[in-house]
Amino acid sequence: MKKIILLLTLFGLSKASYSQQTPGLGFPNKYISIIPSESNPQLNRIEIASDVDTSWYRWKERGYSFGFTPSVAPMYTTVNGILSTPYMIQVRGNAEERNKKRWGYHVFEGYAKDDKSRITMLVNKHVELEKPVAELYYYGTTYNHSEQAYNWFKIGSDVRQHSFLFGRDKAIFYGSLRLTNAFTLGAIGKEDLSETKPQGDDEPNYQADAKYVNFKELKDSSDGTMFYDKDNKIVVIKIEGKWMKLKVEPLPAGVEYKF
């Protein structure tokens, strides 16, 4: 009889301990909330939340706190396992946008084994050519916006010297390129060039830095590089290290376009 009582006591303690470690099973609380449907109380959804804690040790690490306000943003919620869903993962906007994503822009970050380099996807940080921009890049270990801070982002395959590489200011296509519309050369004049790199971070100095990038890339370009010199209205190509004018002619008789 004593053995039976002991077993029942241990079972009761185990069950109580399990219930305390798994909140939200059968009842809602502030960490795992079971929320009934407004139209049908028998249908539920789940929300998981963390507390706001400015003393959390991870907030001292730039990779965690960068872009967040610890006095407002909840601590990270960690899943020690593989996340899998037969549906989709979605990041949506909200009234407190800047405290729910980094600065309200970042929707995805995947870190490399150095725990610093990361793939980043962000949305609506910038407006370019009169439209909001979604951006995707591989950021290195240098916390600035210099060219050296960005690694190559590769699209196509994981085979070396194949597919397509994209950097901050350069793209390398190992494969062929097929266009179904026009190909436009860069129209570059004196107003688009600067021999001197501006001081400070490249993001606030983006216009001046773009002119420096133009100059540097043309100066360091290899044979076969072409651009349209808009000041002199000529197409030029580099051959054996020298810029040369590309000869053009008027359209042949009878050839005309409606555009």
Side-chain angles (χ1 to χ4, degrees), residues 81-96:
I82 298 172
L83 276 177
S84 176
T85 172
Y87 298 98
M88 63 183 294
I89 296 174
Q90 192 175 91
V91 179
R92 300 185 68 89
N94 52 77
E96 297 179 89

Side-chain angles (χ1 to χ4, degrees), residues 84-240:
S84 176
T85 172
Y87 298 98
M88 63 183 294
I89 296 174
Q90 192 175 91
V91 179
R92 300 185 68 89
N94 52 77
E96 297 179 89
E97 181 83 353
R98 74 183 178 88
N99 295 309
K100 299 296 177 70
K101 301 200 296 273
R102 292 193 195 275
W103 298 282
Y105 307 130
H106 292 212
V107 298
F108 174 80
E109 289 181 347
Y111 282 75
K113 62 182 180 181
D114 62 14
D115 204 34
K116 294 181 179 180
S117 304
R118 64 186 184 272
I119 297 171
T120 299
M121 184 177 210
L122 45 86
V123 63
N124 286 12
K125 180 180 181 181
H126 300 113
V127 173
E128 298 187 34
L129 303 177
E130 302 179 353
K131 290 185 178 182
V133 179
E135 300 166 53
L136 188 64
Y137 55 85
Y138 182 12
Y139 198 77
T141 58
T142 304
Y143 285 104
N144 58 44
H145 295 96
S146 67
E147 183 181 3
Q148 293 75 23
Y150 295 86
N151 295 329
W152 290 112
F153 196 101
K154 190 174 187 179
I155 297 176
S157 79
D158 61 348
V159 182
R160 287 174 292 182
Q161 295 186 20
H162 289 68
S163 301
F164 308 90
L165 293 175
F166 294 86
R168 196 198 74 163
D169 297 306
K170 185 181 294 185
I172 296 177
F173 287 19
Y174 290 118
S176 61
L177 174 64
R178 179 180 298 177
L179 301 176
T180 60
N181 208 307
F183 172 73
T184 303
L185 289 174
I188 302 174
K190 292 181 180 179
E191 65 177 3
D192 306 304
L193 300 168
S194 174
E195 297 185 33
T196 306
K197 181 175 177 58
Q199 297 295 318
D201 189 78
D202 293 346
E203 167 69 1
N205 296 312
Y206 69 95
Q207 290 178 317
D209 191 69
K211 295 180 180 182
Y212 171 73
V213 169
N214 285 346
F215 176 83
K216 180 172 69 70
E217 289 300 318
L218 290 175
K219 184 176 184 296
D220 298 336
S221 62
S222 59
D223 288 351
T225 302
M226 299 174 64
F227 73 96
Y228 175 63
D229 179 349
K230 66 182 185 181
D231 292 338
N232 298 295
K233 296 181 174 57
I234 57 175
V235 176
V236 296
I237 182 171
K238 182 177 282 190
I239 298 177
E240 295 185 349

Side-chain angles (χ1 to χ4, degrees), residues 38-52:
E38 295 179 359
S39 59
N40 188 342
Q42 294 182 344
L43 303 177
N44 303 300
R45 63 186 178 88
I46 296 175
E47 286 189 4
I48 301 175
S50 296
D51 286 322
V52 173

